[in-house]
Amino acid sequence: MPELRPNQLQDLRALGAPEACLWAMERAGLSEADALTVRDVLEAAGCPGDAGAAALLTCLFLALREGHLSLPLEALRVRRCLESFLPPTEEEPGPSPELLLEALERGRFDAFISRDPNACVPVILQVEDGVPRLYFQKYWRAARRLGQRLDALLSRPALKPADGDLGRIRTALNEVLVLKPIRNAQGDPLQFNAGQIAAVALALLSDFLIISGGPGVGKTSVIVCLLRCLSRLGWRPGDIRMAAPTGLAAQRIQDSIRLSLNSAGPLGPEDEALMAIEPATIHRILQFRPSRNNFFHTASRPLPIRALIVDETSMIDATLMAALLDATPPDARLILIGDRDQLPPVEAGAPFRRLVGAGWEPGFSPAAVEALSRVWPEGCPPAEITAAGEISAQPAATAFAMRDRFVLLSRNYRSAPDIQSLAALVNAGDLSAVEWLEPRTLSMNWTKDESGTLRADVDWSSAGEVRWLRLESPPPRPALEEAAPDASPSLPAAIALMAASWAEAQYLRAPMSGERPWRHLVREALAPSSAIDSPIARQSCEAIVNGLNRARALTILREGPFGAGAINAAISRFLRPHLDPVSRGPLFAGQIIMIVRNDYDAGLFNGQVGVVLRGCDGAYRAVFPRPEGPRAFALEALPPFETAFATTVHKSQGSEYDHVWMILPPDPAQPLLSREILFTGLTRARRGVVISGGQDVLRSAIERARRAE
């Protein structure tokens, strides 16, 4: 939703909006849609000028913005929320939450709030665990449906093998993991650890399982091996649906499945059949009907499947998860895969995290351990189940609801050790992470080049695995203005200079890995007119698309001086004369771009990254990586796109880069700062990450956890 713009208040006044709505929008920074909803609710309730009602609705919207399904009506909680947009001063002490809650109790807001969930009012008041909570109808119904479906799933027996003969399951696991394993990029057999084997085995033994793990722990490999086992047990491709919250996530898992299957050698009939599985977004699987704003598949019209495997489940909000579980047949196998420690969903509710909360450890009954021992593949003795410290019997007295239904993958095969160490401290909310970073501070000097232009002198090549670039000491303002006279007023020149320095290191110089510099690849790669048939053109295009994820600047914000837009502008301004000095339009050769809207006909999805290249004919085209090889598109045939040398952490989910520069905003009170967003940004990096930000900002991010209720 767009945030407050200066002219929006005038626009609303022209529409005759009541002062209460304008007040809520101006003081709380509500989105335009939310502020108009406040207006409509108050007008329909006959109290358009009731500031107390506007304050209460504003608090509910702010709770939704923080990811919560409801607003707990506790005086301390309400006071904190009110003070976030009505801070007390000496002249104005601010509204009293006690008086607001007393007015609610007296029935002052009964025109739009009811304790009866069947009442035709927009807001529902419910008491849960002794705490009264306000819900919008939509979220109350989603929470109730979600709870009912989860209760039904958890009431079923934990163990329900995909085949009644455990010996057949063991044979399938042995063939998939030992006799004919998938292989890595070097052609070596992929060696599964005990946790991964247990995840595959339990997905075959239980009809409801959650698998959680961070980037690089092998979740995708688990999915591929699970599919191969199901195929060998007689499950047909039509029995299985694979879902993901976004088109890009669905495309990635499909590409990974096909790449992994081909790596195992000549395809047998069981693996060949799996090529027919096409992962899709939840909206496409449930057949969303825009004209009715609902789904075709519901509890009364469930999906015709035996198994549903959902990837990136941690990105799914409560409303969409409720719809998905409603449409899943009661007897279908359900496997949910995600990362409980990453950012919560954009919309309200975080059902994945609620099921397997932070700090919870898996627990297994003696029956589950016995079943695992019986199906454990050859070459990995059953003793390893306990020796690995990941699978062991748990006494019934200490069991929790997800016993036998939750596997946590923790062994990281992707990120450098220092990145993993810092990410673990951040995820635990451990402020010693700041002290851990102190000796890893990256020095930055302000120098002038031969022409007298100020430069940010940062030795990015010595960054190592983790470095901290502190921003407490920008150069003098006059020097900055002299250094970047063409910088837009919203972009602090200090950041522009650092962005230029980063761009020079990552795109003009040779990488530390010994690969060829980006600018050399750009000069050699000519954009083909359509299909890339020439071996030389294919080789040069493959080289450049393989380098797309060498480096990325990640921001917390999208707009503003520390946002992705400003950083992209600074990097583009610096790189254009070096990569494509003859360019005159908005695009230039070597410019990294990101699709921002799905185009199923073109096979391009929101978040997909490509590169602009110039052909022999002078025309610019975009080249995107595909499993079968790079594919070129005319620019006018692309769906909407944007520059992507920098992107937000939210947009980067599911991606990985060799080197990351993570840019934190200077305000410790920035609402988006949290340990989840810091953890997610850190774990995008494989080899090295540089964090730029002040000490107080780092502390604020680590201390603040977004725990959706």
Side-chain angles (χ1 to χ4, degrees):
M1 296 292 183
E3 293 299 326
L4 176 65
R5 300 190 307 271
N7 65 334
Q8 284 180 342
L9 289 177
Q10 297 178 1
D11 294 343
L12 287 174
R13 287 195 178 96
L15 292 172
E19 289 301 318
C21 175
L22 300 175
W23 165 82
M25 187 174 183
E26 186 174 19
R27 300 297 293 269
L30 293 186
S31 70
E32 184 175 8
D34 291 348
L36 291 175
T37 300
V38 172
R39 180 199 69 178
D40 293 344
V41 169
L42 296 183
E43 285 186 343
C47 52
D50 191 332
L56 201 57
L57 286 171
T58 299
C59 287
L60 182 51
F61 270 115
L62 292 179
L64 291 176
R65 192 165 69 180
E66 292 175 359
H68 308 307
L69 288 172
S70 63
L71 173 68
L73 295 179
E74 301 168 307
L76 183 61
R77 183 70 170 268
V78 175
R79 180 183 300 279
R80 191 182 305 120
C81 187
L82 288 170
E83 291 180 352
S84 70
F85 61 94
L86 286 175
T89 63
E90 292 183 3
E91 298 79 14
E92 184 181 355
S96 166
E98 291 81 9
L99 292 178
L100 197 60
L101 296 179
E102 181 183 342
L104 175 65
E105 186 64 30
R106 291 200 316 266
R108 173 175 154 186
F109 309 125
D110 283 358
F112 64 92
I113 298 177
S114 175
R115 289 170 173 78
D116 180 4
N118 296 315
C120 294
V121 293
V123 182
I124 299 298
L125 174 61
Q126 291 289 298
V127 177
E128 299 171 356
D129 298 326
V131 178
R133 293 175 176 270
L134 286 185
Y135 286 89
F136 279 116
Q137 278 272 13
K138 168 185 175 181
Y139 297 108
W140 155 247
R141 295 185 184 280
R144 184 178 61 176
R145 286 163 43 217
L146 186 58
Q148 291 170 345
R149 290 293 288 119
L150 290 173
D151 286 344
L153 285 168
L154 294 174
S155 67
R156 303 191 305 205
L159 298 179
K160 184 182 177 183
D163 190 288
D165 185 351
L166 295 188
R168 290 192 67 209
I169 293 179
R170 186 169 188 261
T171 298
L173 282 165
N174 192 60
E175 180 178 345
V176 164
L177 294 174
V178 180
L179 300 179
K180 196 176 179 182
I182 58 178
R183 297 176 180 271
N184 59 24
Q186 290 72 41
D188 300 321
L190 205 60
Q191 301 293 325
F192 272 43
N193 61 47
Q196 291 173 299
I197 298 172
V200 179
L202 279 170
L204 297 170
L205 294 170
S206 173
D207 63 355
F208 176 41
L209 182 70
I210 291 183
I211 302 171
S212 179
V217 298
K219 298 189 294 292
T220 301
S221 298
V222 166
I223 293 174
V224 174
C225 289
L226 171 59
L227 292 173
R228 297 182 73 203
C229 286
L230 288 173
S231 183
R232 282 156 175 77
L233 294 172
W235 291 53
R236 300 171 303 170
D239 296 332
I240 307 165
R241 290 305 304 264
M242 282 216 57
T246 68
L248 181 59
Q251 182 67 56
R252 280 174 173 161
I253 191 64
Q254 181 176 17
D255 293 346
S256 296
I257 290 172
R258 294 181 176 179
L259 188 65
S260 296
L261 290 174
N262 286 321
S263 75
L267 294 179
E270 297 92 348
D271 290 340
E272 180 71 38
L274 295 175
M275 290 292 193
I277 294 179
E278 294 188 1
T281 65
I282 296 171
H283 281 75
R284 285 176 74 86
I285 287 176
L286 300 185
Q287 297 180 33
F288 180 65
R289 301 184 288 191
S291 61
R292 302 184 184 184
N293 194 33
N294 64 10
F295 297 102
F296 174 80
H297 288 291
T298 61
S300 60
R301 230 178 350 246
L303 293 162
I305 58 172
R306 295 177 61 195
L308 177 64
I309 302 172
V310 188
D311 196 22
E312 300 286 1
T313 313
S314 42
M315 297 173 63
I316 303 175
D317 61 82
T319 302
L320 188 57
M321 180 69 84
L324 181 64
L325 296 187
D326 273 347
T328 304
D331 58 347
R333 189 168 298 269
L334 179 63
I335 311 297
L336 305 180
I337 303 163
D339 181 1
R340 66 181 181 182
D341 296 320
Q342 282 200 39
L343 285 167
V346 175
E347 299 296 331
F352 188 84
R353 181 177 289 172
R354 290 299 301 276
L355 283 169
V356 287
W360 291 6
E361 294 297 328
F364 302 93
S365 66
V369 174
E370 169 64 20
L372 282 169
S373 300
R374 292 177 61 187
V375 303
W376 207 255
E378 298 174 10
C380 189
E384 284 194 26
I385 299 176
T386 301
E390 299 186 46
I391 305 295
S392 57
Q394 181 189 52
T398 62
F400 74 114
M402 295 304 300
R403 189 169 77 154
D404 297 342
R405 304 183 188 274
F406 170 39
V407 177
L408 181 63
L409 303 179
S410 56
R411 190 175 302 174
N412 189 302
Y413 294 94
R414 179 191 303 168
S415 298
D418 272 4
I419 297 174
Q420 295 182 46
S421 297
L422 179 59
L425 291 174
V426 169
N427 192 40
D430 191 339
L431 287 175
S432 67
V434 179
E435 299 175 4
W436 186 91
L437 280 170
E438 284 286 356
R440 294 168 173 84
T441 300
L442 188 62
S443 63
M444 177 175 64
N445 299 311
W446 301 100
T447 61
K448 289 189 176 183
D449 59 19
E450 297 177 353
S451 64
T453 302
L454 195 65
R455 291 171 48 91
D457 186 8
V458 182
D459 187 7
W460 303 95
S461 63
S462 67
E465 293 179 3
V466 178
R467 288 293 184 268
W468 182 14
L469 183 58
R470 304 181 69 155
L471 293 182
E472 277 96 354
S473 303
R477 184 173 181 81
L480 287 174
E481 293 174 349
E482 176 188 353
D486 60 338
S488 61
S490 64
L491 177 63
I495 294 297
L497 292 172
M498 282 184 276
S501 175
W502 164 262
E504 180 180 14
Q506 302 301 329
Y507 299 104
L508 302 185
R509 300 177 189 166
M512 290 182 289
S513 59
E515 298 167 299
R516 304 181 65 203
W518 179 257
R519 65 174 173 179
H520 290 179
L521 298 176
V522 171
R523 289 173 181 172
E524 293 176 3
L526 294 175
S529 57
S530 56
I532 306 175
D533 298 324
S534 163
I536 297 178
R538 175 178 289 273
Q539 184 178 6
S540 62
C541 285
E542 284 181 346
I544 196 164
V545 297
N546 288 340
L548 279 171
N549 289 335
R550 283 184 185 175
R552 194 75 83 241
L554 299 182
T555 65
I556 308 299
L557 307 174
R558 178 174 176 82
E559 306 295 341
F562 289 81
I567 302 302
N568 272 318
I571 292 176
S572 297
R573 193 163 44 240
F574 174 80
L575 287 179
R576 177 190 292 268
H578 296 281
L579 298 180
D580 190 9
V582 301
S583 64
R584 293 294 179 267
L587 300 175
F588 59 92
Q591 184 173 357
I592 296 176
I593 60 173
M594 177 184 288
I595 300 297
V596 295
R597 191 179 69 196
N598 293 341
D599 185 336
Y600 287 93
D601 292 334
L604 295 172
F605 300 95
N606 184 9
Q608 198 161 352
V609 173
V611 59
V612 174
L613 296 176
R614 184 162 51 87
C616 296
D617 56 0
Y620 289 89
R621 300 178 183 88
V623 177
F624 289 83
R626 299 294 298 126
E628 64 274 12
R631 185 179 175 189
F633 295 83
L635 295 179
E636 57 271 18
L638 293 177
F641 61 88
E642 62 188 15
T643 305
F645 292 112
T647 189
T648 63
V649 175
H650 280 84
K651 278 279 193 180
S652 74
Q653 291 185 93
S655 300
E656 56 184 81
Y657 316 101
D658 288 342
H659 298 278
V660 164
W661 173 31
M662 192 171 181
I663 304 156
L664 304 182
D667 182 9
Q670 164 56 238
L672 290 180
L673 273 178
S674 68
R675 74 179 60 155
E676 290 83 6
I677 204 165
L678 187 57
F679 173 84
T680 303
L682 286 171
T683 52
R684 299 310 94 199
R686 287 184 291 239
R687 299 179 182 175
V689 59
V690 175
I691 306 169
S692 64
Q695 179 173 309
D696 54 345
V697 173
L698 270 176
R699 288 183 175 275
S700 177
I702 295 170
E703 286 179 324
R704 188 183 304 155
R706 288 190 62 189
R707 300 296 186 220
E709 298 177 348

